[in-house]
């Protein structure tokens, strides 16, 4: 579960491969400057240990902040050159400052030290590029999933194919599909070659060296060639349902498949009553701690909102919580006080003209959500869960998306799986996409997944990836 859902295997391999790069590069820099010898001579072992530990963590932290360990970057290489350049620009000055702090022990003049830092950063970035190539080369030859054959032509097939190509690029090769008499239409919509009928499964698997067979059939159809499927599995070919494949690859649920929705009832983790109580207690302790630590920044933000114009500092809005019960959610005010006087309730969206200058900064850093820590203390919200929606939208969404009320089975969250993977969505289409992620969270919710969501949220906050 850890590898295939919360931390995919290729991301794990890439991370482990790159862990040694900063240590090697920085060790070479330290030896060249004579830093270890001088620190040992000065009997400053704590400073030596702190430097050796801090520098590699700094490099990996820079890679993480720049999104180099996101699934889309690792699997499909999306934005890799730009992300590496951003990581270098982030790491170099901080690394230089860190090593200059120990310059009294380092020996060389600061230009040489900064030059060595630039060299170490270049080695790390080049090594990261090499790591991506090595891992990609390995995974394209006999690794998990590998060459994929689609068997069947259910109406959700084009969506599955499109999502896999969008998130994984060419790292997963779809060799084609087998189907029934009416299959050519499905082939054209999914842009896949038709390799034959269902009876030719064994021959196609052998001829095209298929690693994974994705079943997109009705439940009664595989019985006709069950023996062939079992023989393929025993020969090392993975057999997986298209709904499970979609969930494993895209980390969201396939709403178009009723059996995918049914799987919510037998998720991989049983959540016991004591876990709910522990989660609620942990949320309240953390919320109280954060409110104490953020008291001064909150006071500064409140003053900025008050000075920017008339109106209250906080904004109270009705939202739908657990069990469909409404509650009053708190936020720092980011819009003018008459923003919805004419239009009525409207979806939040990027470049919203109703947002004030101060509000735009608050939204970008997501600091406008901090007052919801009070909602967590009240027990109305949790740190992690589906984001609460407004009552004006819930009724329409429940009518357009029958599975929508399932998200109200748990407390709404300050952040959630949909927020770190999709962000803001407008209208029914955006709500449907967010629901895919929310239901994935309901099925797979665990402390580990909560930690992954919190870490991704912190990265979004530091990088300013809130709505513009």
């Amino acid at each position: 579960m850890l590898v295939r859902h919360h931390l995919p295997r290729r991301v794990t391999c890439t991370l482990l491969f790159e862990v040694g790069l900063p240590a090697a590069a920085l060790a070479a820099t330290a030896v060249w400057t004579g830093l270890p010898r001088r620190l040992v001579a000065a009997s400053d072992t704590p400073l030596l240990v702190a430097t050796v530990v801090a520098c590699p963590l700094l490099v990996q932290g820079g890679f993480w902040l720049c999104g180099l360990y996101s699934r889309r970057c690792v699997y499909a290489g999306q934005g890799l050159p730009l992300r590496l350049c951003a990581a270098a620009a982030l790491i170099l000055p901080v690394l230089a400052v860190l090593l200059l702090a120990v310059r009294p022990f380092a020996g060389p003049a600061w230009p040489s030290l900064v030059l060595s830092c630039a060299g170490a950063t270049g080695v790390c970035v080049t090594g990261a590029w090499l790591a991506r190539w090595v891992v990609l080369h390995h995974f394209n030859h006999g690794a998990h999933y590998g060459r994929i054959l689609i068997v069947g032509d259910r109406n959700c097939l084009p969506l599955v194919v499109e999502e896999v190509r969008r998130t994984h690029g060419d790292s997963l090769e779809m060799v084609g599909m087998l189907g029934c008499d009416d299959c050519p239409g499905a082939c054209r919509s999914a842009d896949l070659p038709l390799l034959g009928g269902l009876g030719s499964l064994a021959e196609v698997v052998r001829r095209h060296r298929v690693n994974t067979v994705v079943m997109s059939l009705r439940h009664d159809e595989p019985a006709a060639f069950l023996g062939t499927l079992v023989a393929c599995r025993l020969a090392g070919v993975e057999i997986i349902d298209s709904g499970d494949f979609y969930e494993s690859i895209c980390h969201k649920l396939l709403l178009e498949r009723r059996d995918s929705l049914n799987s919510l009832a037998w998720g991989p983790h049983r959540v016991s009553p004591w876990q709910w109580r522990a989660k609620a207690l942990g949320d309240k302790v953390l919320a109280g701690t954060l409110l104490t630590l953020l008291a001064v920044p909150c006071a500064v933000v409140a003053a900025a909102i008050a000075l920017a114009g008339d109106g209250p500092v906080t904004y109270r809005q009705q939202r739908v919580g657990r069990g469909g019960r409404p509650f009053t959610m708190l936020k720092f005010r980011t819009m003018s006080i008459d923003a919805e006087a004419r239009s009525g309730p409207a979806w939040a969206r990027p470049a919203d003209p109703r947002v004030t200058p101060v509000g735009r900064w608050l939204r970008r850093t997501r600091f406008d959500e901090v007052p919801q820590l009070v909602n967590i203390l009240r027990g109305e919200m949790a740190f992690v869960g589906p984001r609460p929606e407004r009552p004006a939208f819930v009724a329409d969404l429940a009518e357009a998306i029958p599975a929508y009320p399932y998200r109200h089975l748990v407390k709404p969250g300050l952040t959630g799986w949909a927020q770190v993977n999709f962000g803001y969505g407008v209208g029914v289409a955006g709500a449907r996409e967010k629901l895919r992620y929310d239901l994935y969270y309901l099925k797979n919710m665990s402390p580990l997944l909560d930690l992954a969501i919190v870490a991704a949220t912190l990265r979004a906050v530091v990088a300013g990836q809130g709505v513009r």
Side-chain angles (χ1 to χ4, degrees), residues 280-323:
L281 178 61
D283 285 344
K284 290 182 179 181
V285 171
L286 184 56
T289 303
L290 287 177
L291 278 174
T292 303
L293 296 176
L294 296 175
V296 174
C298 284
V300 173
V301 167
I305 295 174
L307 292 173
D310 297 331
V313 170
T314 58
Y315 181 59
R316 300 169 181 265
Q317 192 176 70
Q318 286 291 108
R319 297 291 178 108
V320 177
R322 185 178 183 181

Side-chain angles (χ1 to χ4, degrees), residues 9-82:
R9 194 170 75 173
R10 187 185 295 184
V11 176
T12 307
C13 291
T14 303
L15 177 62
L16 293 176
F17 191 95
E18 293 177 356
V19 161
L21 292 174
L26 294 169
T29 301
V31 170
W32 184 77
T33 59
L35 180 60
R37 176 173 52 81
R38 294 175 182 274
L39 287 175
V40 171
S43 299
D44 202 336
T45 304
L47 184 59
L48 173 62
V49 173
T51 305
V52 170
V53 172
C55 290
L57 289 179
L58 169 66
V59 174
Q60 299 306 123
F63 285 178
W64 174 69
L65 282 175
C66 294
L68 282 164
Y69 296 119
S70 64
R71 291 190 303 273
R72 293 181 184 177
C73 182
V74 173
Y75 278 86
Q78 294 182 2
L80 179 59
L82 183 61

Side-chain angles (χ1 to χ4, degrees), residues 162-224:
E162 178 186 354
E163 283 288 338
V164 170
R165 286 173 172 166
R166 183 178 66 85
T167 57
H168 288 67
D170 297 330
S171 62
L172 296 179
E173 182 181 357
M174 295 192 178
V175 299
M177 69 175 290
L178 306 179
C180 308
D181 295 336
D182 57 348
C183 190
C187 287
R188 286 193 295 270
S189 60
D191 192 24
L192 287 173
L194 178 61
L195 303 179
L198 300 179
S200 60
L201 173 61
E203 171 62 22
V204 171
V205 167
R206 182 189 60 80
R207 178 164 24 104
H208 290 273
R209 303 186 307 281
V210 172
N211 303 108
T212 303
V213 172
V214 176
M215 306 296 295
S216 185
L217 296 169
R218 294 187 299 272
H219 286 299
D220 57 335
E221 288 181 312

